[in-house]
Each structure stands twice: as C-alpha cells, then as structure tokens.
Amino acid sequence: MEYTSLHTIQYYDALSQLIEGAGYYLVDLKVVPLKTEKKVTVIISRKPENAEQSAGGIGTQDCVKVTHLIEPELDSFFGPEGYSMEVSSPGMERNIKNAAEFAFFKGQMARVWDRDVSDWVSGTIVDSNETSVTLAVESENRTFSYEGIAKAKLLNS
C-alpha cells in the first residue's frame, strides 16, 4: 500500500481548509478532466468531535452543506460551467486506497491484508503516520508497515 500526502493533490489544501472549518475531513479528492468540463469527486467524513451530531455518519444534508460551501471555490478554479461535482461519504466499508486516509479514521474498525501472514487482520485504528498504521488487535497494539499491507478496508462497527 502506498502513502501519498494529500497535500500533493492539486486543489486539496484550498478545499480542505473550507471543509475542515465546517467540521468535516476531506478524505479524498479527484479532479478528472472530461471533454468539456472537469469531474470533481469529493469524499468527506465527520471530524470525531462532531460524530455525535449524526450517529448514522455522513448524510445527504452534510453533502449538500459541503457542496454549497465549496462551490464558490470551484467556480473560481474552473468557472461556474466548467465542472460537475459529487460529494459523498466514505461509505460503510470503504476500501482504503491511500494509506494517508488512516489518519481520518482513528478509533474506527479496519482490516488489513498482511502480506507477512497472508491473511486479514482486524482491529481498531489507534495511530498512523507516513510509514505505518497501528491497530488495537484483541488485547495488544500491532503496527503494520504500509509496505506489508496489500489492501485495507474500513469495517462497519
């Protein structure tokens, strides 16, 4: 699994600042050029201190709120007619594509495919950095190097 700093993604820092100010994290951002416009895909999650506001996670109203919040910024980047946008939640069992995402999901259940044991290992995300993630597995914390992780997934807890 690779770790790519989210700050290297074009437009991430500008949009992340707006989104975090509203109580969410910008988990993933994709800007794909099409023939006549750009397709912007935004994945958000709730900051832990705001999690109690909605036990069901990210809902339609959250997505609408973030859409209205970032529209003026996207208009300034691409022009009002130069893009289409989709804002959504990470989903209940998100496949983690970039190891940098672990930081957004501390305290949540995840499973990683550990190449060393050729099996899934499940636990609660305790910590993560640029080289590894630590999961609470049963009664101990286990640290997994991203190099040793073939794939990872959030679990519906």
Side-chain angles (χ1 to χ4, degrees), residues 33-49:
L34 303 174
K35 286 184 180 180
T36 60
E37 65 180 18
K38 305 240 190 266
K39 180 181 179 192
V40 180
T41 305
V42 175
I43 307 294
I44 59 171
S45 75
R46 199 174 288 286
K47 284 186 169 183
E49 60 267 21

Side-chain angles (χ1 to χ4, degrees), residues 12-22 26 69:
Y12 181 87
D13 286 337
L15 296 177
S16 176
Q17 188 174 17
L18 293 171
I19 291 169
E20 286 192 23
L26 177 54
L69 182 70

Side-chain angles (χ1 to χ4, degrees), residues 5 8 36 42 45 54 59 61 70 85-87 93 109 129 140-141 147 149-151 153:
S5 173
T8 63
T36 60
V42 175
S45 75
S54 174
Q61 292 301 334
I70 64 174
M85 174 181 23
E86 176 184 325
V87 177
E93 294 193 357
M109 290 291 295
N129 58 37
E140 67 177 343
N141 287 350
E147 292 175 357
I149 297 174
K151 50 189 165 181
K153 185 176 197 141

Side-chain angles (χ1 to χ4, degrees), residues 1-156:
M1 171 167 274
E2 288 190 35
Y3 180 99
T4 304
S5 173
L6 297 170
H7 302 290
T8 63
I9 299 170
Q10 190 174 17
Y11 312 113
Y12 181 87
D13 286 337
L15 296 177
S16 176
Q17 188 174 17
L18 293 171
I19 291 169
E20 286 192 23
Y24 304 95
Y25 286 126
L26 177 54
V27 174
D28 195 11
L29 172 67
K30 297 225 181 331
V31 178
V32 178
L34 303 174
K35 286 184 180 180
T36 60
E37 65 180 18
K38 305 240 190 266
K39 180 181 179 192
V40 180
T41 305
V42 175
I43 307 294
I44 59 171
S45 75
R46 199 174 288 286
K47 284 186 169 183
E49 60 267 21
N50 296 323
E52 69 279 351
Q53 292 175 0
S54 174
I58 297 294
T60 304
Q61 292 301 334
D62 299 304
C63 294
V64 169
K65 179 179 178 180
V66 169
T67 297
H68 291 301
L69 182 70
I70 64 174
E71 245 174 351
E73 194 76 9
L74 292 175
D75 287 352
S76 74
F77 295 151
F78 311 119
E81 304 297 320
Y83 67 94
S84 63
M85 174 181 23
E86 176 184 325
V87 177
S88 64
S89 76
M92 293 178 71
E93 294 193 357
R94 177 175 176 77
N95 291 323
I96 297 176
K97 301 170 187 106
N98 176 358
E101 293 180 29
F102 282 111
F104 298 117
F105 301 112
K106 284 183 184 174
Q108 293 189 37
M109 290 291 295
R111 65 181 183 166
V112 298
W113 181 267
D114 183 355
R115 289 184 174 124
D116 294 335
V117 296
S118 296
D119 199 3
W120 288 103
V121 178
S122 298
T124 302
I125 301 170
V126 174
D127 197 16
S128 66
N129 58 37
E130 293 179 0
T131 60
S132 63
V133 62
T134 301
L135 301 180
V137 180
E138 296 173 7
S139 61
E140 67 177 343
N141 287 350
R142 293 185 50 197
T143 300
F144 299 88
S145 163
Y146 296 138
E147 292 175 357
I149 297 174
K151 50 189 165 181
K153 185 176 197 141
L154 288 179
L155 296 176
N156 183 14

